[in-house]
Amino acid sequence: MDHKGSRGRLVHSQAFFSGTASSLVPGSVIGSALALMIGGPGVLFWIWISSFFIMPLRFVSSTLAIRFRTKTASGRYLSGPMYFIERALKAKWLAMSFAIVGLLTVLVTGGAVPMLYVTHIASRAFEITGMTVPFLLSVILVFIVLGGVRRVGKISAYLTPIGILLFFSGYFFLFKNSLMNFEDFLRLTFREAFQPMAAATGGSFVLARIFGMASGMFFVSTETGIGKSAGLSGVVRTDYPAKQGLVSMLATFFEGFVVSTLVIYVLSSYGAFRMEEQVVFLNALFQGHASPVNLAFFGSFLLFGVVSITGWFYTGEQNALYVFGERFANFFRMLFLVTILSVAYLYVKNGDWILFEVFGLGYSLSIVTAVPVLISLVLLEKIARMELKRFLAESGARYEVLKDFYLLVLSVVPKNLLSLLFGLLASSRLPRFLLIPILKAFAKAYKINVDEAELEIQEYNSLNAFFTRALKAEARIIDSADNELVSPVDARITGYGDINQRIIIQAKGVDYNLKELLGGGGSKYIDDFTNGKYITFYLSPQDYHRIHSPAYGKILGYYYEPGKLFPVNELAVFGIRGLFPKNERLITYLQTEYGKVAVIKVGASNVGRIRVTYDNKIVTNSLIRTARTVEYKEVSIMIGKGAELGRFEMGSTVILLMEKDTFQFDALTMNEKITYGTTIGRFGGKKCKLPK
């Protein structure tokens, strides 16, 4: 588990997305098309083989980057192949040679090449000519770079999933009616794989993957050979170097096994095996630029270009710092901007031949750059293997690998849209002969006590109606003492205690800020809850999902914060920092006779809606969502202890905040199951009259 105290600047997903975006278009797309042109459809088999062998090389590179990274007095992390070449191989001269040539390679391969293909796509697909795109991209680059590597990571984690979604959506909408049968495509691939030309191309492709480029362009992954994956992986926040090594292997798998397969599949379906056929194919796509699908498809390339340039810039800056020191940082930034703008200007003035010249130069530089990296990866493989053994030997470490994969998937999928669709599905009225067996199976799977429900199971008309069921009047007893605060839900207690200044504990080693939790609408109340108390309740699918008032009082107002819809299970809570402030929240402020209480309803994956009883205008998880603050000044809304306050349409989390110096907990047990109406603590002090 990587805690807040772990060294580093980026989380695993940020490094993953930055590296992946940098390789997709110039590597997986262009490189695979070139490989197909040379070796035919059978070359895909050899791309898979090469990807399989590149994955452990990428693991070694990323693991060594963290193992041998260094930190300056100013707090900047320095990493990359030059550091493990110098410190592990004791070859300062080789490390310096790599850094110098790598600096030139970044300017051409990582700066000029992405700038040219973004400019090319903008002119052909969007008819944006001249220097408009290069200047705009330069402004974006400056904005990102000034924010440091953390901003690089955040922008990458935001733009890359959008780009991937646009790419796949555009791909299948554009080509769905023209693709050959996939089984026939696989048979063609395996049949042609062992033809002399395909095998020869495949063999050279393996070498090209290792060296980072092939025939003037990237084939599948430029990162391992040229050191970009090592530069970004080296600043990842982790307790185990091998952990980031394993995560980084996923990028190679995605590039080689997924994207390359899709590219060769569509080109083979169109019979675009030779260069002239591929040119005709691309021109046909560009001619359909007015189509929204085309715009989405080529728009994904533009997003990848932005992320690619920023990631490569950071790699080049690391090389420059190694060679010249921190004082050279600003000079390198200017040099990078001048280089990409100059090359873009030459392209605008002279045409496509500049593309091929720049690609050729980048190819030559990349081969020279990759030689010391390849040598060091082979010689230092044993150190990476020892780090892997240490990681797997730690308690729970094997579980960590699956956890990281799960969290990466969560970062990619459109959680809010899927939750909205799930909510619509759960609310749909299915035929009774289908619905009743589903409800019974659901109740049995989650061991729901249907005897407590107000209605018989066959009386509910949807899954959501059953999930948000009311209970029989006698099912719960509300502790009635005035100064007792009761649980608002049936749930498991996952955390409680003091708010230390404005810090709340989410899980062991993971905390978040009170200001972030309350959001923009909570500034009025933040001082009331500073140094107060908090308690967190997790509602599982088994639980009753209506929310009740924990005390008698007056509803002062509410704040709605649109946010993400990450799941709130234990894996996500421990793995995603600041999870609750990231998620959608509806906060009800309650004035009791002893002090203020905030009832924070946290949305989660598959929660179709959060609803409240006191205001039917509140709509959460809609397509258009904006933050909203409402104070009830003109109307007095009183609510009794145990009265229904709202409901979750599917499960989530409730957090209670109690005003400072007003409340003390009873003896509670972590992970204890509790029902609504049960006392969790008592108010102290004098009883006050509620405002009218």
Side-chain angles (χ1 to χ4, degrees), residues 544-556:
Y544 164 69
H545 273 70
R546 298 199 180 193
I547 307 162
H548 297 257
S549 179
Y552 166 71
K554 177 182 178 180
I555 296 176
L556 301 175

Side-chain angles (χ1 to χ4, degrees), residues 139-157:
V139 172
I140 295 173
L141 175 63
V142 170
F143 167 75
I144 296 174
V145 165
L146 290 178
V149 68
R150 283 186 173 175
R151 186 173 292 174
V152 171
K154 288 180 179 179
I155 295 294
S156 299

